[in-house]
């Protein structure tokens, strides 16, 4: 980022989207104070874009996103627009393509504060990321058709599409435990065989990184039985979609997990992995942690402010430890109560740091 004042495009979206975005921005304001300067440019997106402009990705929204340093997205979609000619989710596919966001990155860690909520027995520390190709594969391949007697979906990948996302995975591994596992179905799929050839070529450029492969069914089992063996999982679009949701579940709650979508140039997009939860919208009980963690991820990855991101993460853990959690985690706290508790932790930690520094 070259601007002295960071520009962040905010897309609050639909149903609980505005509620959790409000929480995320409140935490961003609290942790920033005089240490990080930014401006917010908020625009309609998804169902809100359809309501105001007839399309899920209005031109002004896209223009703002392209000119920003980062994009924060809450959640979109819901039953209100199920029969719309352009569904809200189409806007998400469009903005990924327009910003060339070809790599989706989802962290999976079972922190001490969340251990009690995890459905697996943790023996070794669990901390890995899934790097998923985001703009190609079976979700975008053509021909695509359906009639009364048959349906066709096409899985298609090019060498360059594989190479660019592979480099993201290996570069990330260099900053972690230096281990990449490529997940595929090479015993069945031609596209997987192409992935193996291209990723092996990329791996040769990173001799410090241990590289291995796994069939997707085996990887799915290992995420449950031995997740500590993974560092960076690299995979194609559909497998990544499925595995990242499975991986999120072992952390204890989908309501806590952030994600990042990025390309080689331009802004990255940060968002929770969950949907817009129409059933609890307006009740004040939506879990804000995934949005707040998305803010922390943005600070660390786009703005190189891991110090501020760590303040948020430590404050989130402290609030979870205290039992101040929303109903999805078995508590009775409201969205605002959880958010305010995190902000209070940020202020207390900063005050204690200043006091100790003075002494």
């Amino acid at each position: 980022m070259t601007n002295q004042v960071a520009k962040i495009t905010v897309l609050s979206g639909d149903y609980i989207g505005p509620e959790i975005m409000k929480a995320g921005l409140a935490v961003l304001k609290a942790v920033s104070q005089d240490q990080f300067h930014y401006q917010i440019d908020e625009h309609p997106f998804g169902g809100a874009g359809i309501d105001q402009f007839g399309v899920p990705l209005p031109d002004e929204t896209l223009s703002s996103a392209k000119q920003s340093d980062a994009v924060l997205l809450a959640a979109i979609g819901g039953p209100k627009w199920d029969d719309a000619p352009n569904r809200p989710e189409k806007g998400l596919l469009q903005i990924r393509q327009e910003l060339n966001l070809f790599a989706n990155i989802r962290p999976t860690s079972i922190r001490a504060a969340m251990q009690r909520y995890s459905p697996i027995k943790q023996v070794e520390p669990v901390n890995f990321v899934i790097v998923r190709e985001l703009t190609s594969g079976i979700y975008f391949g053509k021909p695509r058709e359906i009639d009364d007697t048959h349906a066709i979906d096409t899985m298609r990948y090019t060498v360059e599409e594989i190479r660019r996302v592979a480099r993201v995975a290996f570069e990330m591994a260099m900053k972690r435990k230096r281990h990449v596992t490529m997940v595929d179905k090479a015993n069945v799929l031609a596209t997987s065989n192409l992935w193996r050839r291209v990723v092996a070529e990329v791996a040769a450029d990173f001799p410090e990184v241990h590289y291995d492969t796994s069939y997707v069914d085996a990887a799915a089992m290992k995420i449950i039985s031995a997740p500590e063996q993974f560092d960076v999982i690299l995979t194609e679009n559909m497998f990544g979609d499925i595995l990242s949701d499975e991986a999120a579940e072992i952390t204890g709650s989908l309501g806590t997990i952030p994600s990042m979508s990025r390309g080689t140039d331009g802004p990255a997009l940060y968002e929770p992995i969950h949907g817009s939860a129409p059933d609890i919208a307006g009740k004040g009980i939506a879990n804000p942690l995934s949005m707040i963690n998305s803010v922390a991820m943005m600070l660390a990855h786009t703005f190189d402010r891991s110090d501020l991101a760590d303040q948020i993460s430590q404050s989130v853990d402290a609030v979870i430890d205290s039992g101040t959690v929303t109903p999805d985690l078995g508590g009775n706290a409201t969205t605002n109560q959880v958010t305010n508790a995190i902000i209070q932790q940020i202020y207390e930690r900063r005050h204690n740091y200043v006091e100790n520094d003075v002494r």
Side-chain angles (χ1 to χ4, degrees):
M1 191 198 77
T2 57
N3 297 336
Q4 186 174 5
V5 177
K7 179 183 175 183
I8 302 169
T9 294
V10 167
L11 312 175
S12 295
D14 312 316
Y15 290 103
I16 67 165
E19 300 174 45
I20 61 172
M21 181 63 78
K22 180 181 178 182
L25 294 180
V27 170
L28 176 61
K29 181 179 180 181
V31 80
S32 298
Q33 292 192 358
D34 294 329
Q35 302 182 59
F36 176 66
H37 301 283
Y38 64 94
Q39 67 179 51
I40 295 296
D41 194 15
E42 188 161 5
H43 288 274
F45 181 65
I50 293 171
D51 287 348
Q52 294 185 44
F53 295 96
V55 292
L57 179 58
D59 290 342
E60 289 187 6
T61 301
L62 178 59
S63 177
S64 174
K66 286 183 173 180
Q67 296 173 38
S68 66
D69 297 303
V71 180
L72 275 179
L73 167 63
I76 61 168
K80 180 180 178 182
W81 304 280
D82 280 350
D83 298 322
N86 285 328
R87 291 170 60 98
E89 293 79 7
K90 185 176 180 180
L92 189 56
L93 297 179
Q94 289 175 329
I95 199 168
R96 287 171 179 171
Q97 290 180 316
E98 290 286 348
L99 299 182
N100 197 28
L101 304 176
F102 59 80
N104 179 253
I105 298 160
R106 285 196 188 181
T108 300
S109 64
I110 305 178
R111 302 204 300 256
M114 288 297 294
Q115 176 58 56
R116 76 186 93 163
Y117 302 108
S118 176
I120 67 171
K121 295 179 180 179
Q122 179 184 355
V123 179
E124 301 292 335
V126 175
N127 184 354
F128 64 91
V129 297
I130 295 178
V131 178
R132 164 192 171 193
E133 198 288 321
L134 199 58
T135 58
S136 191
I138 201 167
Y139 292 167
F140 294 91
K142 294 180 180 179
R144 177 192 301 268
E145 62 185 54
I146 184 171
D147 63 23
D148 292 339
T149 61
H150 77 284
I152 296 174
D153 290 299
T154 300
M155 173 84 86
R156 181 184 183 276
Y157 270 106
T158 67
V159 168
E160 181 52 34
E161 287 169 341
I162 299 168
R163 181 179 289 119
R164 65 185 184 181
V165 72
R167 295 199 70 85
V168 169
F170 278 89
E171 288 166 1
M172 183 163 289
M174 288 291 292
K175 300 177 182 178
R176 294 174 52 88
K177 294 179 288 185
R178 301 192 174 190
H179 178 196
V180 171
T181 301
M182 203 270 287
V183 172
D184 61 25
K185 196 64 175 170
N187 57 335
V188 177
L189 300 177
T191 49
S192 288
N193 280 282
L194 181 63
W195 271 77
R196 288 215 175 186
R197 175 169 65 82
V198 175
V199 176
E201 293 170 358
V202 174
D205 294 333
F206 295 86
E208 306 95 330
V209 176
H210 173 65
Y211 169 60
D212 55 22
T213 62
S214 173
Y215 293 146
V216 63
D217 42 358
M221 290 186 286
K222 291 173 186 175
I223 285 174
I224 298 297
S225 63
E228 69 278 357
Q229 70 180 267
F230 294 117
D231 179 25
V232 177
I233 293 176
L234 167 65
T235 192
E236 57 87 41
N237 204 343
M238 183 172 66
F239 295 160
D241 189 4
I242 297 167
L243 292 180
S244 57
D245 280 352
E246 179 196 15
E249 187 62 30
I250 71 170
T251 66
S253 173
L254 295 176
T256 68
I257 310 301
S259 72
M260 170 176 67
S261 299
R262 53 157 287 192
T264 50
D265 301 302
L269 184 148
Y270 298 87
E271 61 179 316
I273 68 168
H274 60 68
S276 62
D279 56 320
I280 61 170
K283 296 182 180 180
I285 59 172
N287 190 339
L289 296 184
S290 55
M291 190 74 244
I292 291 168
N293 287 331
S294 295
V295 168
M297 196 175 188
M298 175 189 72
L299 287 168
H301 287 272
T302 289
F303 300 114
D304 297 320
R305 294 304 304 266
S306 293
D307 56 330
L308 301 183
D310 289 344
Q311 288 181 41
I312 294 175
S313 297
Q314 292 164 9
S315 298
V316 166
D317 284 350
V319 169
I320 293 173
D321 276 336
S322 75
T324 305
V325 293
T326 45
D328 60 303
L329 290 176
N332 56 14
T334 66
T335 307
N336 287 341
Q337 287 170 339
V338 172
T339 304
N340 291 336
I342 292 169
I343 290 172
Q344 183 62 32
Q345 280 288 328
I346 290 171
Y347 288 151
E348 289 178 4
R349 289 168 185 275
R350 181 168 295 157
H351 178 71
N352 290 338
Y353 173 81
V354 170
E355 275 195 345
N356 293 334
D357 192 48
V358 169
R359 291 172 187 168

